[in-house]
């Protein structure tokens, strides 16, 4: 009894500020990253806007912005968001329990086949960017002309039994206030997390100079997510079964995760693009 009480007390700081989500009927607790709050429907403009920056292959369950920006978001403003966090997964995994052995297969593919995954994503990017630009222009009367000119996924830098993390540098091109080409580089750290038989994509978005910050905060956040979702009887059974072999194309799952990372970075530029539109 005393052991259970100690464990519960240790969990209190983690689950004190958290978002509850459900993936394929499995309830999960996602602790808020320190200093960040969840985006809610009351932040109407931002809440609706962020839906445009999720690949059609993925499902987004939560997004977090700095506490300092919450007031502006509640007033339907779109704050500048160079730093933010999101939680996604591949739609193909929503209703499929993932075993420990299958998660190991995913990690192995991410470690060894990043170049092949990158090529898959690159082939889809022009179409994805075109749709986003068209939708943005239709809703906001601004054509940001977003495009991706270079992606550099870095080798995995953090791994545990339940997590794998890597970062990527992405160079974007767009038009400035005078319609001239403008380029910038952003960074994202993507972490695969395996909890209760589900695989989460945790993203930490930041500016190019904040690579170390992105990695450090991702490491802590992923640890908090694992701690907040200890295995239960049902998930122990699901995670203990053998691999389905060719049942899941983990290379495609990795590509979906990378696509979510690349597209999600763009939302940090939306406030700038909208201000540019008003100035014009």
């Amino acid at each position: 009894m005393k052991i259970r009480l100690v464990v519960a007390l240790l969990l209190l700081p983690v689950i004190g500020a958290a978002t509850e989500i459900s993936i394929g009927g499995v309830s999960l607790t996602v602790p808020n990253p320190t200093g960040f709050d969840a985006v809610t429907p009351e932040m109407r403009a931002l809440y609706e806007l962020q839906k445009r920056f999720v690949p059609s292959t993925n499902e987004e369950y939560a997004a977090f912005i700095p506490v300092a920006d919450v007031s502006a978001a509640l007033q339907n403003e779109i704050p500048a968001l160079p730093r933010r966090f999101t939680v996604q997964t591949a739609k193909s995994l929503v209703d499929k329990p993932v075993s420990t052995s299958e998660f190991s297969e995913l990690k192995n593919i991410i470690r060894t086949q990043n170049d092949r995954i990158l090529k898959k994503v690159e082939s889809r990017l022009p179409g994805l960017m075109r749709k986003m630009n068209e939708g943005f222009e239709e809703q906001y009367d601004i054509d940001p002309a977003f495009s991706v000119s270079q992606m550099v996924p870095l080798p995995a830098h953090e791994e545990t039994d339940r997590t794998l993390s890597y970062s990527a540098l992405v160079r974007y091109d767009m038009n400035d206030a005078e319609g001239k080409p403008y380029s910038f580089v952003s960074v994202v750290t993507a972490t695969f997390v395996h909890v209760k038989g589900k695989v989460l994509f945790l993203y930490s978005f930041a500016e190019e100079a904040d690579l170390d910050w992105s990695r450090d905060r991702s490491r802590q956040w992923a640890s908090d997510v694992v701690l907040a979702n200890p295995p239960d009887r049902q998930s122990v059974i699901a995670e203990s079964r053998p691999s389905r072999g060719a049942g899941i194309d983990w290379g495609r799952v990795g590509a979906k995760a990378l696509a979510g990372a690349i597209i999600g970075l763009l939302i940090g530029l939306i406030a700038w693009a909208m201000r540019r539109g008003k100035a014009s």
Side-chain angles (χ1 to χ4, degrees):
M1 186 67 179
K2 290 182 178 180
I3 294 176
R4 290 181 181 177
L5 178 59
V6 170
V7 172
L9 290 173
L10 288 174
L11 283 175
L12 281 177
V14 175
I15 64 178
T19 299
E20 301 298 325
I21 65 174
S22 177
I23 301 180
V26 176
S27 297
L28 299 173
T29 298
V30 180
N32 294 12
T34 303
F36 287 70
D37 271 349
V39 176
T40 65
E42 288 73 26
M43 306 172 190
R44 190 174 67 254
L46 179 59
Y47 187 80
E48 293 300 323
L49 177 67
Q50 68 182 11
K51 294 178 183 179
R52 293 185 176 274
F53 296 88
V54 180
S56 60
T57 57
N58 294 3
E59 193 76 39
E60 185 165 284
Y61 291 91
F64 302 90
I65 62 174
V67 171
D69 292 321
V70 168
S71 178
L74 287 171
Q75 296 177 46
N76 286 324
E77 298 177 14
I78 306 296
L81 296 171
R83 293 179 175 181
R84 71 186 191 103
F85 298 85
T86 66
V87 182
Q88 296 181 19
T89 195
K91 289 180 178 178
S92 59
L93 296 181
V94 169
D95 295 314
K96 293 181 180 178
V98 175
S99 68
T100 299
S101 60
E102 288 170 335
F103 186 63
S104 293
E105 292 174 15
L106 169 61
K107 291 195 294 182
N108 183 58
I109 286 175
I110 299 301
R111 284 194 305 266
T112 62
Q113 299 184 23
N114 244 3
D115 289 342
R116 187 181 302 178
I117 291 171
L118 177 62
K119 290 178 180 178
K120 286 184 180 180
V121 176
E122 284 179 330
S123 67
R124 297 183 58 226
L125 277 177
L128 290 171
M129 290 296 175
R130 183 174 62 254
K131 288 182 180 179
M132 285 200 303
N133 285 322
E134 290 173 351
F136 198 78
E137 183 176 15
E138 178 181 346
Q139 183 169 353
Y140 299 103
D141 196 27
I142 305 169
D143 179 13
F146 288 133
S147 65
V148 175
S149 57
Q150 187 178 15
M151 296 182 292
V152 183
L154 303 176
H157 60 271
E158 183 81 12
E159 181 176 357
T160 69
D161 289 343
R162 290 194 173 271
T163 67
L164 179 72
S165 297
Y166 72 92
S167 301
L169 296 170
V170 185
R171 176 174 174 165
Y172 296 94
D173 296 316
M174 63 187 297
N175 293 333
D176 65 14
E178 298 177 353
K180 297 179 180 179
Y182 174 76
S183 298
F184 59 93
V185 177
S186 295
V187 64
V188 57
T189 295
T191 302
F192 298 86
V193 177
H194 185 217
V195 286
K196 292 188 174 181
K198 297 298 179 183
V199 175
L200 302 179
F201 306 157
L202 303 186
Y203 298 120
S204 170
F205 302 103
E207 296 177 299
E208 180 183 12
D210 292 331
L211 174 60
D212 290 341
W213 177 90
S214 176
R215 288 179 166 182
D216 290 343
R217 295 300 299 273
S218 293
R219 182 185 301 111
Q220 184 59 57
W221 189 32
S223 176
D224 290 345
V225 170
V226 172
L227 182 61
N229 296 280
D232 54 21
R233 182 177 180 181
Q234 184 175 353
S235 65
V236 167
I237 294 173
E239 292 180 359
S240 299
R241 61 174 178 71
S243 170
R244 282 169 283 191
I248 300 177
D249 185 341
W250 292 115
R252 293 188 66 181
V253 171
K256 293 171 183 177
L258 181 56
I262 292 167
I263 293 174
L265 275 168
L266 286 170
I267 204 168
L269 302 171
I270 294 308
W272 182 86
M274 295 183 73
R275 286 195 300 271
R276 188 199 76 190
K278 291 178 181 178
S280 300

